[in-house]
């Protein structure tokens, strides 16, 4: 079945040999002996019919052609073409959305900059000094330790670039390997827990691993679709290598901000010691004890955590929105007679993300940051009341509920930012329209059947594991003075693992964002995919017809 004329009328081909031009009229007009061929009547609108003019002995030239209409703006041009409705909406008037959220975000960022300057000054004078080498480093924030973190960052970038190249060359093989890698990881983790006599957690992980392996028989039919989506996304990244460049730039920005925040967070405890107040109390047995409180330090801790979550989310979502805009430009304008609206789609999309759509990005990121900060507070309270069983159970339930809410919000934010990037909507309108796409178009089926997330998760885990192993070797072999008793070994390994995983996900954002944009644009304008990617459209139309015509649309759509 061909989709080359999807949404258009069918025109019969010209006769073999082409059309021939009619003979020119004689110089002195037609003679009276000439009888023109019999004219047919052409039915018009209503009851009237078109009558040809009466023929006489002289030649009447054809009526002049109607004047050519003036050049229409691009919006009106697209309005005349139903196949380019997505492109019509993509070209929009610049208008700032959710400006209040952008103002509040910039205000908190300015406050963080001021506090960071104050807190970093409170760090010990020996910080960042490399006298004595690694073994002579007496503080965690020493020059040799900073070199170790720089190696962690460079190693994460190198692994991410290599992994991206493997995805470009071996799409199908990576999908299969990533699926079974997830199975082996779950079963292996469960076996480790069982060996450590953590029976419940070990049994759960093994059971989940076995069930996940059995799902292969029902999931393997997804491989052709996932491979085609992955190949499409990789093709567009090669078409616009600027998406990888901008990912590297934001990776550096995220790393620089993380390093600055870590220094400020460490210095905040030293600076806030001066505000601590202690009092001596006597218990029922007459024994005296001392209790200390520091509300300012608690407030600074809450603010620093909230600022980190919000700023990190904004950085990542600006990158996500930028890449979404680039992919949407390709989706709507590739192969169209109008060409691209700009010569540098990635740069133009970045400009929109940092200007007119910046408020919407800050708004959506704020919601996630509030949930994450609340979860951090609940976790801290659970740690503080570790001997209270009731508090532990209540905290666990609250954290579970907040985790579910965070997952739902993150899911909708991911696709709502595609609407923001493509159409410049406010965040509330984008979230509402995202819900409409999920319910009416059924793109959740495509999202669930896509195995691209498995490939990215496997890469993130491998990258984090290798980098964490390198950090462990570095800290074990060098044996710094501040880690003689090994108290910093576990925190360093965990921090290296988390840092490497986050760096990988930032750099591979071009793949994740590209897949999300493809799904949303497909639901918005299926005709565009029929034009620029007929293979993928044919598969979607055959396997997921509800996405093409809409769940609530009539079957003849």
């Amino acid at each position: 079945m061909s989709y080359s004329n999807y949404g258009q009328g069918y025109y019969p081909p010209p006769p073999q040999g082409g059309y021939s031009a009619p003979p020119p009229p004689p110089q002195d007009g037609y003679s009276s002996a000439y009888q023109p061929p019999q004219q047919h009547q052409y039915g018009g609108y209503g009851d009237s019919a078109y009558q040809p003019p009466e023929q006489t002995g002289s030649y009447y030239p054809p009526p002049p052609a109607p004047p050519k209409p003036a050049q229409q703006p691009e919006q009106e041009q697209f309005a005349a073409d139903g196949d380019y409705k997505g492109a019509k909406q993509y070209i929009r008037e610049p208008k700032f959305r959710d400006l209040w959220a952008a103002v509040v975000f910039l205000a908190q960022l300015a406050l963080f900059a001021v506090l960071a300057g104050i807190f970093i000054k409170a760090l010990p004078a020996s910080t960042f000094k490399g006298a004595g080498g690694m073994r002579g480093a007496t503080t965690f924030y020493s020059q040799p330790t900073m070199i170790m973190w720089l190696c962690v960052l460079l190693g994460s970038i190198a692994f991410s670039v290599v992994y991206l190249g493997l995805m470009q060359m071996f799409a199908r093989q990576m999908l299969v390997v990533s699926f079974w890698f997830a199975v082996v990881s779950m079963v292996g983790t469960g076996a480790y827990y069982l060996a450590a006599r953590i029976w419940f957690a070990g049994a759960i992980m093994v059971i989940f691993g076995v069930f996940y392996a059995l799902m292969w028989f029902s999931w393997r039919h997804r491989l052709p679709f996932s491979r085609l989506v992955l190949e499409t996304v990789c093709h567009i990244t090669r078409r616009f290598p600027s998406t990888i460049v901008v990912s590297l730039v934001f990776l550096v920005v995220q790393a620089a901000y993380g390093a600055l925040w870590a220094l400020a967070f460490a210095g905040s405890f030293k600076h806030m010691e001066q505000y601590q107040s202690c009092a001596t109390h006597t218990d029922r047995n007459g024994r005296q004890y001392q209790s200390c409180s520091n509300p300012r330090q608690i407030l600074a801790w809450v603010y620093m955590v909230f600022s980190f979550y919000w700023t990190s989310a904004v950085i990542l979502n600006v990158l996500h929105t930028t890449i979404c805009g680039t992919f949407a430009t390709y989706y709507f304008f590739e192969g169209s007679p109008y060409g691209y609206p700009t010569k540098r789609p990635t740069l133009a999309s970045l400009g929109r993300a940092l200007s007119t759509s910046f408020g919407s990005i800050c708004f959506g990121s704020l919601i996630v940051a509030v949930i994450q900060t609340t979860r951090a507070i609940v976790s801290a309270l659970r740690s503080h009341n570790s001997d209270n069983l009731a508090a532990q159970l209540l905290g666990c339930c609250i954290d579970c509920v907040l985790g579910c809410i965070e997952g739902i919000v993150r899911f909708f934010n991911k696709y709502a930012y595609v609407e923001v990037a493509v159409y410049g909507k406010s965040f509330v309108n984008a979230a509402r329209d995202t819900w409409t796409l999920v319910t009416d178009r059924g793109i959740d089926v495509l999202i669930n059947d896509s195995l691209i997330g498995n490939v990215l998760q496997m890469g993130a885990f491998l990258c984090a594991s290798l980098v964490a192993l390198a950090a462990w070797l570095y800290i074990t072999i060098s044996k710094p003075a501040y880690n003689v008793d090994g108290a910093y070994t576990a925190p360093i390994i965990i921090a290296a693992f988390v840092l490497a995983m986050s760096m990988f996900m930032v750099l591979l954002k071009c793949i994740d964002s590209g897949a999300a944009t493809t799904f949303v644009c497909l639901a918005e304008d299926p005709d565009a995919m029929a034009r620029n990617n007929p293979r993928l459209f044919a598969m979607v139309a055959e396997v997921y017809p509800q996405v093409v015509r809409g769940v609530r649309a009539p079957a003849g759509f």
Side-chain angles (χ1 to χ4, degrees):
M1 181 177 181
S2 175
Y3 296 93
S4 59
N5 294 312
Y6 183 86
Q8 302 177 2
Y10 174 77
Y11 297 94
Q16 188 173 4
Y19 295 104
S20 59
Q27 299 294 331
D28 54 351
Y30 292 108
S31 62
S32 57
Y34 171 76
Q35 296 296 331
Q38 183 179 1
Q39 301 290 336
H40 298 281
Q41 292 185 351
Y42 299 88
Y45 294 101
D47 298 331
S48 60
Y50 169 76
Q51 299 291 337
E54 181 181 358
Q55 298 292 336
T56 62
S58 60
Y59 169 73
Y60 288 94
K68 186 177 181 180
Q71 183 69 23
Q72 297 176 340
E74 288 179 317
Q75 288 86 347
E76 296 181 10
Q77 291 180 7
F78 289 130
D81 279 331
D83 290 343
Y84 302 100
K85 59 182 180 181
K88 170 196 170 186
Q89 297 175 0
Y90 186 85
I91 298 180
R92 59 191 183 274
E93 294 295 331
K95 184 177 181 180
F96 286 89
R97 307 288 186 180
D98 299 316
L99 187 59
W100 65 270
V103 173
V104 174
F105 171 78
L106 293 177
Q108 75 83 24
L109 190 61
L111 178 60
F112 166 77
V114 173
L115 293 178
I118 298 174
F119 292 158
I120 291 177
K121 288 182 179 179
L123 290 172
S126 59
T127 303
F128 307 119
K129 292 183 179 180
M134 188 68 179
R135 294 181 181 270
T138 57
T139 62
F140 179 78
Y141 292 100
S142 57
Q143 189 180 68
T145 308
M146 296 301 105
I147 295 176
M148 180 191 70
W149 291 119
L150 180 61
C151 294
V152 168
L153 176 63
L154 294 178
S156 303
I157 295 175
F159 182 91
S160 302
V161 172
V162 172
Y163 196 83
L164 179 61
L166 293 175
M167 291 178 65
Q168 300 269 358
M169 294 184 293
F170 309 103
R172 186 181 185 281
Q173 292 81 354
M174 296 288 283
L175 288 168
V176 176
V177 171
S178 63
F179 180 90
W180 290 107
F181 178 82
V183 174
V184 173
S185 298
M186 284 188 281
V187 175
T189 304
Y192 171 79
Y193 283 152
L194 292 176
R197 298 180 181 273
I198 308 176
W199 306 112
F200 181 76
I204 291 295
M205 292 300 297
V206 171
I207 292 173
F208 271 100
V210 172
F211 273 108
Y212 198 77
L214 294 176
M215 293 177 67
W216 168 258
F217 299 100
S218 61
W219 280 11
R220 58 186 177 183
H221 72 278
R222 305 179 183 182
L223 287 177
F225 168 73
S226 300
R227 181 185 65 181
L228 197 53
V229 173
L230 183 57
E231 290 175 348
T232 299
V233 172
C234 292
H235 167 73
I236 299 176
T237 57
R238 293 192 299 269
R239 176 75 168 77
F240 297 101
S242 54
T243 55
I244 302 177
V245 174
V246 75
S247 298
L248 284 170
V249 172
F250 273 83
L251 178 64
V252 175
V253 172
Q254 177 69 32
Y257 170 75
L260 177 63
W261 183 89
L263 292 175
F265 188 72
S268 65
F269 292 94
K270 185 70 175 178
H271 177 79
M272 288 297 175
E273 287 180 355
Q274 57 184 314
Y275 301 108
Q276 179 174 315
S277 60
C278 299
T280 303
H281 303 277
T282 304
D283 59 12
R284 294 180 180 180
N285 299 323
R287 291 177 296 185
Q288 293 184 343
Y289 66 94
Q290 192 178 46
S291 64
C292 300
S293 63
N294 194 342
R296 294 190 181 184
Q297 185 177 14
I298 296 176
L299 184 62
W301 179 86
V302 172
Y303 173 76
M304 291 291 291
V305 171
F306 169 75
S307 179
F308 174 78
Y309 282 135
W310 196 8
T311 305
S312 299
V314 168
I315 293 173
L316 193 61
N317 289 328
V318 168
L319 173 62
H320 173 61
T321 307
T322 300
I323 296 175
C324 290
T326 305
F327 273 75
T329 302
Y330 175 89
Y331 185 91
F332 289 128
F333 292 96
E334 178 69 19
S336 71
Y338 307 102
Y340 287 126
T342 177
K343 294 182 179 179
R344 298 178 178 86
T346 304
L347 189 60
S349 181
L350 177 61
R352 293 193 300 270
L354 292 175
S355 56
T356 55
S357 298
F358 188 68
S360 302
I361 295 173
C362 295
F363 188 9
S365 304
L366 173 62
I367 298 175
V368 177
V370 170
I371 298 174
Q372 290 177 320
T373 304
T374 306
R375 292 187 66 186
I377 295 174
V378 172
S379 178
L381 292 176
R382 288 176 58 192
S383 300
H384 184 69
N385 298 277
S386 57
D387 56 343
N388 190 331
L389 181 59
Q392 289 290 310
L393 291 176
L394 179 61
C396 183
C397 293
I398 295 176
D399 185 67
C400 181
V401 172
L402 291 175
C404 294
I405 296 175
E406 180 184 350
I408 295 173
V409 173
R410 282 181 176 274
F411 173 83
F412 276 96
N413 278 9
K414 178 180 178 179
Y415 296 95
Y417 285 131
V418 180
E419 296 281 333
V420 171
V422 176
Y423 303 124
K425 300 176 182 177
S426 64
F427 178 77
V428 174
N429 292 336
R432 183 184 64 243
D433 294 343
T434 299
W435 173 258
T436 302
L437 287 177
V438 171
T439 56
D440 287 4
R441 288 291 189 185
I443 64 170
D444 55 326
V445 180
L446 273 72
I447 297 170
N448 292 333
D449 284 1
S450 175
L451 300 177
I452 296 178
N454 282 7
V455 181
L456 297 179
Q457 291 173 5
M458 181 185 72
F461 182 82
L462 288 177
C463 177
S465 300
L466 292 176
V467 171
L469 177 62
W472 175 77
L473 291 174
Y474 187 91
I475 200 71
T476 301
I477 296 174
S478 60
K479 296 180 179 179
Y482 64 80
N483 194 40
V484 175
D485 56 353
Y488 283 87
T489 301
I492 286 177
I493 294 175
I494 295 174
F497 186 92
V498 174
L499 177 63
M501 181 172 287
S502 61
M503 295 298 102
F504 178 90
M505 295 307 297
V506 170
L507 189 57
L508 271 292
K509 197 66 180 175
C510 56
I511 303 297
D512 187 37
S513 302
T517 308
T518 301
F519 295 148
V520 172
C521 291
L522 169 62
E524 289 281 6
D525 188 6
D527 296 324
M529 178 172 286
R531 182 182 67 249
N532 59 47
N533 197 338
R535 286 180 59 205
L536 182 57
F537 178 81
M539 180 176 293
V540 172
E542 180 181 356
V543 183
Y544 312 99
Q546 73 278 9
V547 177
V548 175
R549 66 172 182 264
V551 174
R552 299 176 184 174
F557 177 79

